[in-house]
Amino acid sequence: MRISPKHTQRIAIALLGTATGVTLVVLLFIIGFVLEKGLPVVSFSFLFSMPKDMGRAGGILPTLVGTLLLPLLAIAIALPLGVGTAVYLTEYTRETRLTRIIRFGTDCLAGIPSIIFGLFGFIFFVTTLKLGWSLLSGGLTLAIMVLPTIIRTSEEAIRAVPRAWREVSFSLGATRWETVTKVVLPNALPGIVTGVMLSVGRSIGETAAVIFTAGSSLRMPHSVFDSVRTMAVHFYIMAREGISNENAYGTAAVLVISVLLVNTTTYWLMENMPASPSIKVSVRDLKVFFGQFQALRGVSLDVPAFQILGVIGPSGSAKTTFLRALNRMNELTPGSRMEGQVLLDDEDVYGPGCDAVALRKRVGMVFAMPVPLPMSIYDNLAYGPRLCGIRARATLDTLIETSLRAAFLWDEVKDRLRSSGLRLSGGQQQRLCLARTLAMQPELILLDEPCSGLDPISTARIEEALTMLKARYTIILVTNNTKQAARVADTTAFFLMGELIEHGPTGQIFTAPRDQRTDDYVTGRFG
Amino acid sequence: MNTPASQPAHEVPVPVAGFNLHNAVFFGAGNGLNKVRMQVADFNLHYGSFQALINVGMDVAARKITALIGPSGCGKSTLLRALNRMNDLIPGVRVSGQICLDGEDIYAPGVDVCALRKKTGMVFQRPNPFPLSVFDNVAFGLRVAGERSKAAIHETVERSLRGAWLWDQVRDTLHAPALDLPLDQQQRLCIARLLAIEPEVILLDEPCSALDPIATAKVEELLLNLKKQYTIVIVTHNMQQAARIADYTGYMLLGEMIDFGPTAALFTTPTDRRTNDYLSGRFG
């Protein structure tokens, strides 16, 4: 028997919900357990006095110092190395076999269990270099361990700094180094700090790599050549050797709280990162079928926020299908089916938690033929906001005026807002539709050949409006007019027979396309 | 490939002569008023195997506005970026031929590219202030150049903002984020940022394409004012803009300089039929 999709959907939600619940309960139980057992032991004197009798009594001051110093030392060593590597990889080299090997190496390094780092540190730093069990050996070992994290997060952060700022800096006569220090690094800083905090979090809780290299002395360290014991190691020894379970739990509680503090700070930093050009829409291997016919054959591309993506290609190349997949309009066609992912701000628009109606309010659409509703200009614009529950007259008025101004229509219609939208000219009707979309305050605007029915002057008006609008919106423009894409789009995607042939900066697509078919199309040899 | 790149270089026909340094007729050579500031001669540029500029030649007159027009992809931005060697930043670019600034070849070995870029500043298509305050944006170039004196920086920032007609709008909000300014003010801020490093030649790459007509008019007026002190080269896809402000105009097509001359002459009696077709809107 086949279970109906509706039921499988319910069962799936129930199972997924249970899984989440179990994870949460386990997590809360562990934290609660440790805190309940440990917190009664924790006091001012526990934190700030020396241990007595191997830790059976007294405090944990030296381990607190060890836990503080060891990650600090590790970061002090790993940060310049890691950021330096990231800067070199992103700014000073081109993508070659060597950079790929370096990247592969760092990725492998990230996957190695910490005990291996411990053994390596023991053999190399402690024995071969004769550094002994010391803060220095431990710091060096931890530095190697967290290096991949710092390199990769710094690299990501540096790559996210817009290229335009680098160009400006160069054009003002700055050298590459000045550009890196004055423009790139300051703007990548929040990302780099995130990497550092993640590394600190990992080092604080590390046991295996530390016990082999920094030793387990319970004395206060006086130099980097003294052995130290971190809280994690202290806890491990106390519990394993059965010295004092109470003090072990106390240490564990302090450790858990420290890690929580570090992680909370990390999240806070990530949330408060300044908005840098991010990816607004991310399409992953999108396939759309209509019955037996596959219209879209696995399309993947990213649209950066506040840019215009031009989608070009001959008729029947599934440009419109692609566009309509982004706001789930294809679902309205019976027999359509899709595979793959469409992420809007990292949220799957086809995910179970996403409501198609709410989605279409965030993603506005303008169609090829202007379709004003048979009502006044004012009511056309107020239609969407009223559906969202905006009733206040003053709010509506300002919203409508700003929308009309943004669509460059205000001056032409301000004296006749009450006349029918159908009485406007074709070009004005299309700008009215654009304004109507803007009145919904969407984040993403989809335009399906908005100028196909318009004369050149109205087209120019729409294009002008679009270039102004991208300061605040992300725009995807499907067009049959390649020149239009060349004029307004920041990046251009060329579709052919349901396939994405090429996607890149508009200038490159039109001047130096990588694919012969793109070349043929943009130079007008077919299409 | 149907591009001329597949032909050996010596078979590429030399474009219409009469406007490059072999024949500086338009500038009234010798009378000292219309000094030639930059000369481009037989300049070729390849992106990998694609030839983006083919035997281009032109003279840029001092304290005049020279406009480059042509359909998208004709190489006008590439030529502009060749003038301050911004193309160097793109992998796989090769050049041959000559570009001279005040008679010195800027592609000669040993040329200090940073110094060159300080002399030939650039304004880009989209306003792109740094995410810093208005003040710090303008001071950026100075600080890179090593200026530390606060008084000197203050003075230059004010002078540059006045030069870009922005001082009155931002004098009270100098320390507000530059990204909060309206787009046209952002673009003028970019011009001010450039004026601060005291360039001799200003290169503008479609500086008004992101601006509305009113803001465009303001920027154009500003450029007309700036040419009293600076030599200006502007790339524009807007022919009316070229007609309004440029003293000399070059029309490019598929990497070649088809026509170059005083703007009025080019627009009224173009020497090449393709220029005529483009200007009359038959393609483009």
Side-chain angles (χ1 to χ4, degrees), chain A residues 107-440:
Chain A
D107 283 349
C108 289
L109 213 56
I112 294 174
S114 58
I115 187 113
I116 307 284
F117 285 104
L119 274 173
F120 168 78
F122 178 70
I123 293 165
F124 188 68
F125 298 124
V126 178
T127 319
T128 312
L129 294 186
K130 299 200 171 57
L131 295 174
W133 279 336
S134 64
L135 206 57
L136 190 58
S137 304
L140 286 166
T141 310
L142 283 182
I144 297 174
M145 203 177 83
V146 299
L147 201 54
T149 315
I150 292 190
I151 293 177
R152 290 318 290 265
T153 45
S154 307
E155 226 191 310
E156 292 299 315
I158 288 171
R159 266 185 217 290
V161 175
R163 214 171 56 101
W165 292 342
R166 294 184 175 89
E167 281 202 324
V168 174
S169 172
F170 286 127
S171 80
L172 291 171
T175 59
R176 200 170 276 278
W177 176 243
E178 285 164 337
T179 304
V180 166
T181 50
K182 293 197 156 70
V183 176
V184 176
L185 287 182
N187 286 296
L189 198 61
I192 295 172
V193 172
T194 310
V196 167
M197 296 306 282
L198 286 172
S199 308
V200 170
R202 186 158 178 214
S203 327
I204 286 184
E206 187 48 49
T207 323
V210 170
I211 204 163
F212 278 105
T213 53
S216 57
S217 157
L218 261 180
R219 278 190 292 272
M220 274 298 239
H222 294 290
S223 79
V224 289
F225 297 106
D226 284 349
S227 167
V228 290
R229 185 189 284 195
T230 64
M231 283 195 280
V233 172
H234 187 55
F235 168 77
Y236 170 73
I237 290 174
M238 303 263 278
R240 205 189 64 151
E241 311 204 339
I243 295 170
S244 161
N245 270 339
E246 291 77 50
N247 281 359
Y249 278 121
T251 314
V254 177
L255 191 60
V256 165
I257 291 170
S258 322
V259 173
L260 283 179
L261 276 179
V262 170
N263 285 353
T264 323
T265 322
T266 314
Y267 278 109
W268 183 82
L269 281 172
M270 278 158 84
E271 300 256 309
N272 287 281
M273 275 223 247
S276 59
S278 53
I279 300 298
K280 186 74 186 174
V281 184
S282 183
V283 178
R284 291 280 157 263
D285 199 26
L286 179 69
K287 297 178 181 142
V288 175
F289 303 83
F290 293 113
Q292 294 298 312
F293 173 64
Q294 183 172 3
L296 217 52
R297 297 162 182 276
V299 169
S300 300
L301 61 80
D302 286 337
V303 189
F306 308 116
Q307 287 204 353
I308 299 181
L309 166 70
V311 180
I312 58 172
S315 329
S317 54
K319 308 187 290 287
T320 302
T321 306
F322 167 73
L323 197 68
R324 293 164 66 94
L326 301 182
N327 66 346
R328 294 177 62 170
M329 288 289 272
N330 282 329
E331 288 182 353
L332 305 178
T333 314
S336 75
R337 189 159 59 78
M338 65 79 67
E339 285 170 21
Q341 264 190 329
V342 178
L343 304 174
L344 180 64
D345 286 337
D346 291 326
E347 192 192 333
D348 191 348
V349 305
Y350 286 91
C354 185
D355 174 10
V357 177
L359 172 75
R360 289 184 201 132
K361 283 179 187 158
R362 290 172 65 195
V363 183
M365 191 158 188
V366 177
F367 299 86
M369 289 304 295
V371 215
L373 299 169
M375 42 179 96
S376 75
I377 295 172
Y378 187 94
D379 287 335
N380 257 289
L381 282 154
Y383 185 78
R386 279 181 185 145
L387 285 182
C388 297
I390 299 176
R391 297 257 166 241
R393 193 53 200 258
T395 321
L396 278 179
D397 282 351
T398 34
L399 191 57
I400 285 167
E401 187 184 331
T402 45
S403 307
L404 283 170
R405 276 189 194 281
F408 284 139
L409 190 63
W410 175 250
D411 289 330
E412 289 157 57
V413 301
K414 61 182 175 200
D415 303 321
R416 46 180 179 137
L417 288 176
R418 291 286 156 207
S419 69
S420 166
L422 296 171
R423 281 219 222 113
L424 295 172
S425 76
Q428 289 174 330
Q429 286 189 7
Q430 191 59 298
R431 275 178 283 146
L432 177 70
C433 294
L434 182 57
R436 187 173 59 193
T437 308
L438 298 180
M440 296 290 292

